[in-house]
């Protein structure tokens, strides 16, 4: 059976990571959360008191602190230089700054090189904001997930509460709107739908409904799921 590459893009809290993990698990594929990689760099910048605008120092952090993933009993964990930062990179201070860090061309260049290497042999589900356009432009299946701002804010609010992260729904809504604008208008690899990507609106849909929709796209393109 051909092991393909599946690229899933979309704005913050559109459901990318959740469905990508499920699809990867069901297909026994490698799952790569590229957003977590940018969050890891942002976390390092905060930890080492590096300005988010200092592109050279940010790239140096990447070179000195390898980012890796490990599948554990409770899901995939993110490590930086051997330290588990799975929870740390989801804190509000990281969320607020990650778009600025991710906008640097050299930061993206360094991380995209790692991401391309992960996906070069297929058998991978990768999610982010520029997977179908920049990281895996030849991916056999490209999905672009969207959802209303209000629903995405409610999802993030619920997720934060479950993780005991202090949160405010109104503030989250404003942050998501601002991040959408920033990600879509940045000069380097802006958030946009690849021409050959299939757009799926997840507003009002359950996780399983979105997963099923993606499976149908895979099958419609002639690829078997088992």
């Amino acid at each position: 059976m051909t092991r393909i590459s599946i690229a899933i893009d979309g704005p913050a809290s559109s459901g990318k990571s959740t469905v990508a993990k499920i699809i990867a698990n069901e297909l026994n594929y490698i799952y790569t959360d590229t957003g977590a990689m940018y969050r890891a760099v942002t976390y390092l910048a905060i930890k080492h008191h590096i300005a988010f605008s200092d592109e050279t120092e940010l790239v140096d952090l990447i070179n000195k602190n390898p980012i890796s993933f490990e599948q554990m009993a409770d899901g995939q964990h993110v490590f930086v230089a051997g330290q588990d930062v799975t929870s740390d990179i989801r804190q509000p201070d990281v969320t607020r700054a990650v778009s600025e860090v991710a906008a640097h061309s050299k930061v993206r260049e360094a991380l995209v090189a790692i991401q391309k290497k992960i996906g070069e042999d297929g058998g991978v589900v990768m999610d982010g904001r520029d997977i179908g356009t920049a990281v895996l432009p030849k991916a056999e299946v490209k999905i672009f997930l969207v959802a209303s701002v209000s629903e995405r804010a409610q999802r993030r609010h619920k997720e934060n509460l479950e993780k005991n992260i202090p949160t405010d729904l109104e503030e989250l809504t404003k942050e998501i709107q601002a991040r959408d604008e920033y990600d879509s208008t940045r000069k380097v690899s802006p958030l946009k739908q690849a021409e050959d990507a299939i757009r799926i609106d997840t507003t009002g849909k359950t996780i399983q409904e979105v997963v099923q929709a993606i499976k149908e796209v895979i099958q419609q393109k002639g690829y078997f799921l088992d």
Side-chain angles (χ1 to χ4, degrees):
M1 182 177 68
T2 302
R3 293 175 67 78
I4 63 175
S5 295
I6 301 172
I8 301 179
D9 290 307
S13 297
S14 55
K16 303 183 301 296
S17 297
T18 301
V19 298
K21 290 174 186 175
I22 294 172
I23 295 290
N25 183 61
E26 292 189 4
L27 297 180
N28 195 27
Y29 275 18
I30 295 170
Y31 165 63
T32 306
D33 179 356
T34 63
M37 299 175 79
Y38 289 100
R39 284 176 172 273
V41 179
T42 306
Y43 162 77
L44 284 169
I46 294 171
K47 180 180 178 181
H48 294 282
H49 306 290
I50 301 298
F52 302 134
S53 59
D54 195 333
E55 186 174 33
T56 300
E57 288 296 323
L58 291 173
V59 172
D60 191 51
L61 288 175
I62 296 171
N63 294 333
K64 292 181 177 178
N65 299 273
I67 301 169
S68 59
F69 300 95
E70 183 177 338
Q71 192 65 31
M72 305 183 78
D74 60 343
Q76 183 169 261
H77 284 228
V78 185
F79 291 82
V80 171
Q83 177 189 351
D84 190 334
V85 297
T86 306
S87 176
D88 299 307
I89 65 173
R90 299 295 171 182
Q91 297 304 311
D93 56 346
V94 172
T95 298
R96 285 191 291 268
V98 66
S99 284
E100 182 178 352
V101 170
H104 293 296
S105 60
K106 293 189 183 304
V107 169
R108 300 198 73 83
E109 184 179 314
L111 293 183
V112 166
I114 298 172
Q115 294 157 12
K116 282 180 176 290
K117 188 170 183 62
I118 293 172
E120 63 185 6
D121 295 324
V124 63
V125 180
M126 196 174 291
D127 75 271
R129 284 170 175 71
D130 62 349
I131 309 306
T133 54
V135 182
L136 300 177
K138 295 183 179 180
E140 289 85 352
V141 174
K142 298 179 184 179
I143 303 294
F144 194 82
L145 299 182
V146 297
S148 67
V149 171
S150 61
E151 178 149 336
R152 287 187 284 136
Q154 289 169 0
R155 290 175 184 172
R156 180 60 60 84
H157 184 253
K158 180 181 178 181
E159 180 182 291
N160 285 351
L161 289 178
E162 290 173 348
K163 295 178 179 179
N164 294 317
I165 298 175
T167 187
D168 178 83
L169 182 57
E170 184 176 350
E171 186 62 30
L172 275 177
T173 302
K174 292 178 181 178
E175 288 180 1
I176 286 177
Q177 289 175 320
R179 189 169 181 186
D180 284 353
E181 175 67 18
Y182 194 96
D183 289 347
S184 299
T185 59
R186 68 188 182 207
K187 294 181 179 180
V188 182
S189 293
L191 167 66
K192 66 178 182 179
Q193 181 176 337
E195 291 184 3
D196 53 346
I198 303 301
R199 187 183 186 92
I200 298 175
D201 191 337
T202 68
T203 304
K205 289 185 172 64
T206 65
I207 292 171
Q208 276 309 128
E209 286 174 335
V210 178
V211 168
Q212 183 58 37
I214 294 175
K215 284 182 176 181
E216 289 174 1
V217 171
I218 296 172
Q219 291 175 321
Q220 287 165 6
K221 288 183 173 291
Y223 298 103
F224 297 102
L225 296 177
D226 52 30

